[in-house]
Amino acid sequence: MAGRAAHGAVGLARFMLVTILTFLGLLAITFFIGRVVPIDPVLSVVGDRATQEVYDAARERMGLDRPLVVQFFSYVGNVLSGDLGQSISTGRAVTSDLARVFPATLEMATIGILIGVLLGVPMGVIAATRQGSWADQLIRVLGLLGYSVPAFWLGLVGLAVFYAGLGWVAGPGRVDFFYEGMVDTITGLYLIDSLIAGEMDIFRNALSHLVLPASILGFFSLAYIARMTRSFMLDQLAQEYVTTARVKGVPERRVVWRHAFFPIRIQLITVIGLSYASLLEGSVMIEVVFSWPGIGNYLTTALLNADMNAVLGATLVIGSVFILINKISDVLYRILDPRARQ
Amino acid sequence: MTDLLSIRNLTVTFPTPRGPVDVVRGISFSLGRERLGIVGESGSGKSMTGRSILKLIRPPGRISADEMIFDGIDLIRRSERQMREIRGARISMIMQDPKFSLNPVMTIGEQIAEALTTHNSVTRRDLRNRVLEMLHAVRIHEPARVAGLYPHEVSGGMGQRVMIAMMLIPEPDLLIADEPTSALDVSVQAQVLDIIEELVAGKGMGLILISHDLNLVARYCDRILVMNGGEIVEQCAADALHRAQHPYTRGLLAAIPRMDEDREELPVLDRSAWAAA
């Protein structure tokens, strides 16, 4: 048993090392993007009418005259201490900007992925077990729509029907203007912050704003997850061990869920992880249509204003989210698949 | 002696783009509490015959028969739900390759236990004892350790013994063994068949052994059916196999190599010999 514990410790150490190296790689990429783009960070500070002396002094102050390697390590140091520089378009620290916009995207993406998983997985299983039935056809058509309908169009139609037409949901933005800034920011997730503050009105209002864009994201993720689940399940149902279960007289529901679905949870984790990561990247189209102050919106604005610090900061956050979700999938893999445990 | 299983005019049909194809063509046979071998080459319909007894032909394949009477029950007229009470509990089947036929993400113990709990209510402690006993009966020496393993952690021979344990734990009356040893090393084939033979004889069960290996079937069975092209071409007692009449059987027998022979080439089946008949 001591041997197994030591083995586990070595495995954990290696896992941590790989994670750290991946993160360093991400930092290197964002750093070099910052150097390669044809935007002079000195000019954006001193303005293009500055004299050569002022320009050189600013360049020295910003450390840009030092060797690249030294610059890279000071960049890493800054990032680790939470300093991502100033944003020229908002005039605030990029870190505090990101702390404000990322939760907005996180809140929407999380509700979206929940919808995608809770509906998409059962739909995929049903489609596979009743291959060729009307339910299967319907689910396949939904999957096709999820592929082919543009997000912004669905967003506009959704707003026209459910907000302007039926009045079932609130319009663009995270809360009504009236409620803006009435709840202390704790997590940055309005649903949770308003619950903590006990402000049920604000909770209901935020939910009413969130439900439509999150459902649209959920629809895209559902279409993808259902399609993948269906094809994994069709593959599983043709396996010999599923026949073995039937030979044993196991009831059909248990055959489907315990024998066919159980093994594909492992593959589904990757699919769900990827889908969640792509939602967290911030669906620019949906965020623009719904005036959602999320990271997709922030990144686009920053790009259009050549606001490099903000672009790099947002890229770093999105990259970290990808690394994190991949690592979580890895860990779940090891827990769920007996073949990967060695 | 009353028959354990009596099949009349069994046909298995698969639709194809060029119209339906019968892979089993109206065969009839019966079986007591004896060991029946079904032999034939690939595609002769022997496995389809075995699976249709459990009515486990995958759609779009279809089974039809005048009757398929097992212990007084006509299986052909049973609903899917009624069939489930029979599968495992009364008729069971050992599949070909344990690498594919055991569930990769369930422990061996769980899979064997499931075969029992599907049909019987057993207390937790009894269940564990029964599973360990059954593993012991298939000559697994450390049943408690093996029960906690996953299928990828055991050898093919042990996997097949696990399969046997799983299929026999509910004590069925009829066991179908579909090529139970063709995925195994020659060195463990006899061991697995000996275990099947011993348990089947001990419990007085009927056995259908499906194989392409004539010698093996002749050694472990009482009676033999030879199938070709979805039909039974010959039925005989196992010890009378060498006196078989049908040209197909004779051709198969002639193609078996012997240790003490000096034939340069083994004869190829001459299909024209019985195609006319």
Side-chain angles (χ1 to χ4, degrees):
Chain A
M1 285 304 115
R4 181 172 290 189
H7 196 74
V10 171
L12 188 70
R14 191 194 332 212
F15 182 79
M16 296 303 286
L17 187 71
V18 170
T19 310
I20 289 168
L21 283 178
T22 317
F23 190 69
L24 267 180
L26 173 67
L27 283 173
I29 290 170
T30 51
F31 174 76
F32 285 109
I33 290 174
R35 302 298 128 164
V36 176
V37 288
I39 295 172
D40 191 333
V42 183
L43 276 188
S44 65
V45 171
V46 296
D48 47 10
R49 279 193 223 143
T51 60
Q52 190 63 36
E53 289 76 46
V54 175
Y55 179 90
D56 288 342
R59 190 173 144 84
E60 200 171 323
R61 205 169 52 243
M62 292 167 78
L64 293 171
D65 56 336
R66 289 178 293 167
L68 266 189
V69 182
V70 177
Q71 287 185 43
F72 176 64
F73 281 106
S74 86
Y75 170 69
V76 172
N78 285 342
V79 168
L80 289 182
S81 62
D83 177 13
L84 295 170
Q86 293 280 317
S87 159
I88 54 168
S89 48
T90 64
R92 276 182 298 234
V94 171
T95 316
S96 74
D97 278 348
L98 288 172
R100 192 167 41 81
V101 297
F102 186 66
T105 296
L106 181 66
E107 192 165 42
M108 187 156 82
T110 304
I111 303 285
I113 197 73
L114 283 176
I115 293 173
V117 172
L118 293 179
L119 294 179
V121 170
M123 278 165 73
V125 171
I126 288 168
T129 51
R130 305 197 188 138
Q131 205 191 347
S133 69
W134 63 267
D136 184 26
Q137 304 293 358
L138 183 74
I139 289 164
R140 279 162 65 186
V141 169
L142 277 179
L144 198 65
L145 286 179
Y147 240 157
S148 48
V149 173
F152 73 90
W153 182 83
L154 206 58
L156 289 173
V157 170
L159 276 176
V161 173
F162 296 105
Y163 169 58
L166 297 167
W168 289 358
V169 298
R174 289 184 80 185
V175 284
D176 283 357
F177 189 66
F178 173 70
Y179 290 118
E180 202 91 56
M182 274 179 60
V183 173
D184 294 337
T185 303
I186 300 166
T187 60
L189 306 169
Y190 282 12
L191 291 183
I192 292 178
D193 286 351
S194 61
L195 276 184
I196 292 173
E199 297 277 3
M200 289 315 289
D201 282 355
I202 300 183
F203 177 79
R204 270 193 294 275
N205 187 258
L207 189 63
S208 166
H209 277 270
L210 182 60
V211 70
L212 186 58
S215 300
I216 291 172
L217 285 188
F219 169 70
F220 288 110
S221 133
L222 168 161
Y224 174 59
I225 291 173
R227 199 170 52 238
M228 295 308 282
T229 308
R230 178 178 181 273
S231 87
F232 291 155
M233 277 302 280
L234 282 179
D235 185 49
Q236 282 297 307
L237 289 169
Q239 294 288 328
E240 276 290 280
Y241 53 82
V242 171
T243 307
T244 304
R246 294 203 172 109
V247 168
K248 289 198 278 189
V250 173
E252 193 58 22
R253 183 200 293 254
R254 190 173 154 86
V255 170
V256 168
W257 289 102
R258 184 71 177 88
H259 288 271
F261 181 72
F262 231 60
I264 69 162
R265 292 171 312 165
I266 301 156
Q267 291 155 283
L268 277 180
I269 284 167
T270 313
V271 167
I272 292 168
L274 279 176
S275 183
Y276 191 35
S278 76
L279 296 189
L280 281 175
E281 224 176 274
S283 168
V284 178
M285 288 300 176
I286 292 291
E287 289 187 0
V288 169
V289 168
F290 286 90
S291 314
W292 199 262
I295 197 160
N297 228 337
Y298 181 74
L299 184 57
T300 320
T301 315
L303 267 173
L304 295 176
N305 293 329
D307 184 356
M308 271 327 281
N309 283 340
V311 171
L312 294 183
T315 309
L316 197 62
V317 167
I318 291 169
S320 308
V321 163
F322 256 95
I323 295 178
L324 188 71
I325 286 181
N326 265 310
K327 290 298 159 190
I328 292 174
S329 305
D330 265 12
V331 171
L332 286 175
Y333 241 94
R334 272 166 226 234
I335 293 171
L336 291 179
D337 190 348
R339 288 162 296 186
R341 266 178 225 159
Q342 265 81 27
Chain B
M1 183 174 84
T2 56
D3 289 337
L4 182 60
L5 177 71
S6 155
I7 292 177
R8 236 179 46 220
N9 199 19
L10 170 72
T11 300
V12 179
T13 312
F14 279 86
T16 68
R18 276 169 289 148
V21 169
D22 292 347
V23 294
V24 176
R25 307 176 178 194
I27 65 168
S28 304
F29 65 93
S30 58
L31 168 85
R33 291 191 181 266
E34 61 180 330
R35 300 166 303 173
L36 176 73
I38 302 182
V39 288
E41 59 191 310
S42 303
S44 60
K46 55 191 194 309
S47 287
M48 284 295 159
T49 305
R51 291 199 175 194
S52 46
I53 296 169
L54 284 161
K55 297 221 291 188
L56 278 176
I57 303 290
R58 205 178 287 150
R62 277 205 336 273
I63 310 169
S64 69
D66 292 347
E67 57 175 29
M68 201 157 76
I69 295 180
F70 165 77
D71 197 24
I73 308 160
D74 192 354
L75 301 178
I76 207 77
R77 273 167 256 291
R78 287 233 135 186
S79 67
E80 181 59 24
R81 175 185 285 271
Q82 290 169 317
M83 277 309 295
R84 236 175 270 144
E85 290 163 16
I86 290 173
R87 287 183 200 137
R90 308 222 42 207
I91 308 176
S92 212
M93 181 162 77
I94 293 170
M95 324 252 280
Q96 187 166 342
D97 191 341
K99 254 208 295 304
F100 302 111
S101 54
L102 294 175
N103 190 321
V105 297
M106 275 170 92
T107 63
I108 284 165
E110 274 177 274
Q111 296 190 53
I112 298 176
E114 186 188 39
L116 189 60
T117 52
T118 298
H119 302 285
N120 307 60
S121 50
V122 202
T123 64
R124 188 177 279 253
R125 210 176 62 227
D126 267 6
L127 182 63
R128 183 165 169 80
N129 288 337
R130 291 274 303 269
V131 169
L132 296 185
E133 246 169 58
M134 199 65 224
L135 281 170
H136 189 72
V138 294
R139 298 184 205 159
I140 285 174
H141 299 302
E142 298 171 276
R145 186 181 69 87
V146 173
L149 296 179
Y150 286 91
H152 71 275
E153 297 172 302
V154 303
S155 67
M158 192 183 274
Q160 203 58 315
R161 283 183 280 157
V162 167
M163 186 78 185
I164 296 169
M166 181 161 75
M167 289 310 175
L168 291 185
I169 198 169
E171 306 193 328
D173 301 286
L174 172 61
L175 179 70
I176 302 163
D178 186 359
E179 302 267 12
T181 57
S182 29
L184 305 181
D185 287 344
V186 180
S187 54
V188 293
Q189 287 187 352
Q191 188 191 17
V192 165
L193 284 166
D194 287 343
I195 291 170
I196 295 180
E197 185 184 38
E198 176 192 310
L199 294 173
V200 164
K203 297 193 157 93
M205 298 163 47
L207 170 72
I208 297 179
L209 178 61
I210 297 169
S211 175
H212 59 269
D213 187 336
L214 280 167
N215 284 332
L216 189 142
V217 167
R219 194 174 140 209
Y220 287 95
C221 294
D222 306 312
R223 213 150 55 80
I224 293 176
L225 300 181
V226 181
M227 286 188 73
N228 177 234
E231 289 170 336
I232 297 175
V233 295
E234 180 129 26
Q235 297 204 36
C236 63
D239 47 17
L241 185 65
H242 59 278
R243 293 195 300 270
Q245 298 298 313
H246 195 274
Y248 177 67
T249 320
R250 297 229 55 88
L252 287 180
L253 287 169
I256 300 172
R258 275 172 260 290
M259 293 291 273
D260 54 352
E261 70 181 352
D262 50 8
R263 285 188 286 186
E264 283 281 312
E265 255 177 53
L266 294 170
V268 173
L269 277 178
D270 175 15
R271 287 168 200 275
S272 63
W274 62 89

